[in-house]
Amino acid sequence: MFKHILITGGAGFVGSNLGLSLKRDLPGVKVTALDNLKRRGSELNLPRLKEGGVDFLHGDIRSPEDLDAAGNPDLILECSAEPSVLAGYGGSPAYLLNTNLLGTINCLELARMRGAAMIFLSTSRVYPMAPIRDLIFQETATRFELSGPQTLPGVSPAGIAETFPLDGARTLYGATKLASELLMAEYGEMYGLTAVVNRCGVLTGPWQMGKVDQGFMVLWVAKHIFGAKLAYLGYGGTGKQVRDILHVADLYELVRLQMDDLPRHQGQVYNVGGGPEVSVSLAELTALAQEATGQKVDIQAVPETRVGDIPWYLTDTAKVRAATGWAPRTSARDIVADIACWIEKNRESLRHIL
Ligand SMILES: NC(=O)c1ccc[n+]([C@@H]2O[C@H](COP(=O)([O-])OP(=O)(O)OC[C@H]3O[C@@H](n4cnc5c(N)ncnc54)[C@H](O)[C@@H]3O)[C@@H](O)[C@H]2O)c1
């Protein structure tokens, strides 16, 4: 079993939730959360980490010296990132590239020098945009759905599988993640790094500091609670774009299964998400948010589609299910209710962030 787990981005949404759950379930294991607190709201997680017995290390993965100060971890959960698909558009991509690519290389180097294993939080955004946009959809009353057989491999009503073609542009964010995955495979081959890649769809749950370009589930529920305006952006402005969603507690269950048998998952890349059963369109999310909060807000229709957007993404989880026996458990309705409950409980501190 692991003795010291380093979580990079450990004060972020995923990192803090994984760290606290690990410390709760494995109290004898040292858990260190390294974070530069770039994400607005991550600082709210510091008292939680302290209370839960997770050591906080203020550090930046762009700096090998900061990583060196983490000691001798035998497992690194790489959860730090600039996670926005819009990062770099209309400005410099420097922070994105230096964190998501060079920073990940620094983490790989730390793993190589310490002989540590790694679990990498990659993204469904490694799959290129144009082939997804070109899939054949039909419009139902509330969402886009795949219509009939598709011409590309790796796509079915079950979602996008690992065999979906990788040619084409995918956002700078997705490109940094794919490049990191490739390097991870090389470190596996050349240095014997034990690593597994989880290509996650939308992750969500309490303590996600949702904003317009990342964390839409929390943003949507928060705007219902705080009474601000929302907009259906793109695809005609009808809110029919679809994503699958995964509660962070369900992700934690998968990470634990992988940790228990990491050599078996060595070099594997898994698509991870809620799948068709746990998915929402924005229009459906509005109904769930109204149900959970008892509030209605104005929703503007903005027909023009934003750069970097796709109309539909569902995760085909067949490979990861077969390899681990894992399956997502939390329904979309329960996820929305959980988020609403968390915001209500922490109304005052969250009012200025969400
Ligand atoms: N949330 C999702 O829907 C989702 C989906 C797919 C993949 N992911 C991936 O999961 C991981 C965690 O995402 P999240 O949702 O928790 O995002 P988050 O923004 O909440 O957490 C990321 C953390 O990394 C920190 N960070 C940023 N730059 C850093 C740097 N240079 N050095 C050290 N720390 C730095 C931030 O301060 C933040 O606390 C990321 O790698 C993200 O790309 C997230």
Side-chain angles (χ1 to χ4, degrees):
M1 212 10 176
F2 299 105
K3 293 192 175 69
H4 180 189
I5 302 171
L6 171 66
I7 308 181
T8 49
F13 161 58
V14 173
S16 63
N17 277 298
L18 293 185
L20 286 164
S21 302
L22 282 167
K23 195 65 195 169
R24 178 196 64 207
D25 295 346
L26 306 168
V29 175
K30 179 177 169 65
V31 181
T32 303
L34 180 144
D35 203 297
N36 70 352
L37 302 179
K38 173 82 162 41
R39 177 73 178 252
R40 193 167 132 75
S42 286
E43 68 281 1
L44 296 182
N45 283 318
L46 298 185
R48 295 175 66 224
L49 292 173
K50 190 170 184 191
E51 200 180 320
V54 175
D55 299 329
F56 176 65
L57 183 62
H58 189 233
D60 196 309
I61 65 162
R62 293 172 298 171
S63 155
E65 292 82 4
D66 283 7
L67 284 168
D68 197 47
N72 286 305
D74 45 12
L75 174 66
I76 301 172
L77 303 185
E78 221 293 68
C79 300
S80 63
E82 165 48 72
S84 169
V85 292
L86 294 179
Y89 280 105
S92 165
Y95 189 82
L96 172 79
L97 297 175
N98 289 332
T99 291
N100 292 17
L101 183 51
L102 297 179
T104 304
I105 294 172
N106 290 336
C107 295
L108 282 170
E109 272 298 283
L110 183 73
R112 182 183 68 80
M113 291 184 293
R114 304 289 200 272
M118 187 183 278
I119 296 179
F120 182 59
L121 272 272
S122 189
T123 171
S124 57
R125 285 314 198 106
V126 300
Y127 298 110
M129 292 178 286
I132 294 177
R133 288 181 185 138
D134 290 346
L135 295 172
I136 305 157
F137 298 108
Q138 62 184 4
E139 234 178 290
T140 70
T142 60
R143 62 161 65 194
F144 296 121
E145 271 179 7
L146 283 186
S147 170
Q150 307 285 325
T151 51
L152 290 174
V155 58
S156 73
I160 301 267
E162 293 80 356
T163 48
F164 194 77
L166 285 169
D167 299 330
R170 52 181 53 76
T171 71
L172 282 168
Y173 167 67
T176 57
K177 291 286 188 175
L178 184 59
S180 299
E181 288 186 13
L182 292 175
L183 285 164
M184 215 159 280
E186 298 303 328
Y187 269 64
E189 192 68 22
M190 192 162 290
Y191 303 119
L193 171 78
T194 303
V196 57
V197 170
N198 291 317
R199 286 182 180 162
C200 301
V202 172
L203 304 170
T204 192
W207 300 100
Q208 183 172 39
M209 304 301 163
K211 51 188 183 129
V212 175
D213 54 344
Q214 207 257 352
F216 77 92
M217 291 290 297
V218 164
L219 182 88
W220 216 258
V221 179
K223 297 296 181 207
H224 278 77
I225 289 177
F226 295 124
K229 281 191 180 148
L230 283 167
Y232 291 139
L233 295 176
Y235 306 103
T238 54
K240 292 188 181 178
Q241 55 266 60
V242 174
R243 298 289 188 274
D244 65 342
I245 55 177
L246 184 69
H247 195 289
V248 68
D250 288 340
L251 175 71
Y252 170 67
E253 288 191 3
L254 173 64
V255 168
R256 282 301 305 279
L257 288 168
Q258 292 174 333
M259 279 172 57
D260 286 348
D261 202 357
L262 215 44
R264 202 162 69 79
H265 301 291
Q266 155 57 15
Q268 292 300 319
V269 173
Y270 297 119
N271 282 1
V272 173
E277 301 81 18
V278 193
S279 66
V280 288
S281 69
L282 282 181
E284 292 162 358
L285 175 57
T286 299
L288 291 176
Q290 286 175 358
E291 184 186 297
T293 65
Q295 308 287 332
K296 270 190 174 184
V297 298
D298 281 347
I299 305 185
Q300 196 192 347
V302 179
E304 298 78 35
T305 301
R306 276 186 313 176
V307 65
D309 208 356
I310 49 174
W312 174 94
Y313 187 89
L314 296 179
T315 308
D316 183 339
T317 54
K319 182 179 174 188
V320 72
R321 283 177 195 242
T324 61
W326 172 86
R329 288 208 256 186
T330 319
S331 69
R333 174 168 278 109
D334 287 350
I335 290 175
V336 171
D338 201 17
I339 292 170
C341 178
W342 162 67
I343 298 174
E344 286 292 3
K345 265 195 205 148
N346 297 276
R347 238 186 135 89
E348 285 323 304
S349 54
L350 293 175
R351 178 187 293 282
H352 309 291
I353 307 264
L354 297 178

